[in-house]
Amino acid sequence: MASATFLVQANTALSNTHISLSVAQTQALRSQLKTQRGILNANNINQLCAQLNVTNDALLQGLVPLASEFAVAPVSNFHVGAIVKALDESGEVNFYFGANAEFNRQALSLVVHAEQSAINNAWLNGAKKILKIAISDAPCGYCRQFMNELADAREFDILLPEQQFKLADLLPHSFGPTDLGNQYSLFNPAPQARSFNNTEVEQQLAAYALAAYVPYSKNYSAVKITTFNNGDFYGSYAENAAYSPSLSPLQSALSQLFLAGLSFDQHTVKGITLLETAGHENQAGVAQAVLASFVNLPPLELISAPLSE
């Protein structure tokens, strides 16, 4: 079974060339990140910058090792962390954490990369414009392609421990949405005015499905993971012009669960629901494959509902 436990390094302090925290400060920050599901808001960031006497970007890069602690990597044992610096709907700067997630005995293509996790975290939680992404290691080609689907792909900075790039530096002669005749992009989706013709579909789940970025398959879909004691976690389907780097709704929701420091097991999870658009379904097989890495989980509830015209 895939391990999915947030690794709390109880007796260690976070110290690097950018920031230095005591053991107590590091423990408090770890706890805060779990409670806030991998997000530091503008007030959190300003307080930390003042407390540590560092710049916003120094804090961003300094916290990347903490992001990597959320990684679930039973196959590679290689923990990658990423943090997106983005503007919310109020124009405030927030940090959105992410880490890689892998699944035992399943195709390696099902993994969630740290960059995907951080971008997904920002996207699901209302970020409007990505300014920078700080990563613990150089992004692989898969992640570069995933980032190329973003509305701000040509603008934001990619910060590595010792280097800084624009995406065009790492992905020259790229293939993206416009090559498939798609004028929209992740963080700049097509206007959505339709609804599901099924009154039994939970309103929140339907909202996440309708917010999915699905210009290629048209399968507006989302997943809800219900826990016994920690609320609900949602994920939306995010497609990519190269198809393979698309992020499934279950992967999207699981990444959010892991960023809250929770284990994906029968003691935590009460129910799992996948909502898809009737006539465009393509996510049940992927979801079942991921779930096969785990034991004693509740069965996946499948809902297929038509969209109004």
Side-chain angles (χ1 to χ4, degrees):
M1 184 175 78
S3 170
T5 302
F6 179 68
L7 301 176
V8 177
Q9 308 297 323
N11 298 314
T12 62
L14 179 63
S15 183
N16 50 51
T17 57
H18 300 286
I19 61 173
S20 182
L21 279 72
S22 67
V23 172
Q25 288 173 320
T26 307
Q27 289 176 328
L29 189 52
R30 286 189 180 106
S31 178
Q32 182 180 24
L33 282 170
K34 288 197 295 181
T35 300
Q36 297 179 189
R37 300 188 176 191
I39 299 174
L40 291 180
N41 61 36
N43 288 335
N44 302 148
I45 294 167
N46 292 336
Q47 289 173 4
L48 282 168
C49 286
Q51 180 182 356
L52 303 174
N53 192 29
V54 296
T55 65
N56 189 290
D57 283 350
L59 181 67
L60 176 70
Q61 291 192 271
L63 292 178
V64 170
L66 209 57
S68 67
E69 291 186 5
F70 288 93
V72 178
V75 180
S76 69
N77 292 311
F78 188 70
H79 293 199
V80 184
I83 307 174
V84 163
K85 175 181 176 180
L87 299 177
D88 63 18
E89 60 184 7
S90 300
E92 299 281 358
V93 170
N94 293 342
F95 289 174
Y96 301 90
F97 285 58
N100 56 313
E102 302 168 355
F103 309 103
N104 274 334
R105 302 182 303 280
Q106 298 305 318
L108 296 180
S109 57
L110 294 178
V111 304
V112 180
H113 294 240
E115 295 89 331
Q116 287 181 303
S117 174
I119 292 167
N120 176 67
N121 193 14
W123 177 52
L124 291 179
N125 288 288
K128 299 303 179 185
K129 182 178 178 63
I130 291 180
L131 303 174
K132 300 183 180 184
I133 180 169
I135 317 168
S136 59
D137 298 272
C140 68
Y142 188 97
C143 291
R144 299 177 196 193
Q145 181 64 46
F146 185 81
M147 289 189 280
N148 197 47
E149 199 78 19
L150 299 173
D152 306 310
R154 296 180 179 273
E155 301 174 26
F156 64 82
D157 295 314
I158 299 171
L159 308 181
L160 303 181
E162 304 295 336
Q163 297 169 289
Q164 178 173 326
F165 297 96
K166 294 290 188 182
L167 183 59
D169 300 326
L170 302 177
L171 192 67
H173 313 295
S174 64
F175 180 87
T178 57
D179 293 295
L180 292 181
N182 174 20
Q183 62 178 309
Y184 299 102
S185 52
L186 197 58
F187 286 80
N188 178 37
Q192 176 60 272
R194 293 180 292 177
S195 60
F196 284 101
N197 287 334
N198 186 334
T199 57
E200 296 181 2
V201 175
E202 182 205 64
Q203 185 175 358
Q204 189 78 337
L205 179 60
Y208 275 92
L210 292 170
Y213 174 71
V214 290
Y216 312 113
S217 74
K218 311 302 181 186
N219 182 23
Y220 291 91
S221 57
V223 160
K224 174 186 178 182
I225 300 175
T226 304
T227 71
F228 289 106
N229 300 308
N230 300 95
D232 301 324
F233 294 84
Y234 294 88
S236 300
Y237 186 21
E239 293 186 334
N240 188 273
Y243 289 9
S244 293
S246 300
L247 187 66
S248 78
L250 178 58
Q251 292 169 304
S252 174
L254 270 176
S255 180
Q256 292 288 282
L257 181 90
F258 294 155
L259 289 171
L262 298 177
S263 294
F264 192 55
D265 58 31
Q266 72 271 28
H267 304 296
T268 303
V269 179
K270 183 179 181 181
I272 309 164
T273 305
L274 168 64
L275 169 62
E276 297 192 87
T277 300
H280 298 274
E281 302 93 335
N282 64 0
Q283 290 301 307
V286 174
Q288 295 288 13
V290 170
L291 294 175
S293 290
F294 303 87
V295 298
N296 299 324
L297 287 172
L300 176 65
E301 179 186 359
L302 298 173
I303 303 174
S304 180
L307 279 177
S308 64
E309 294 301 328

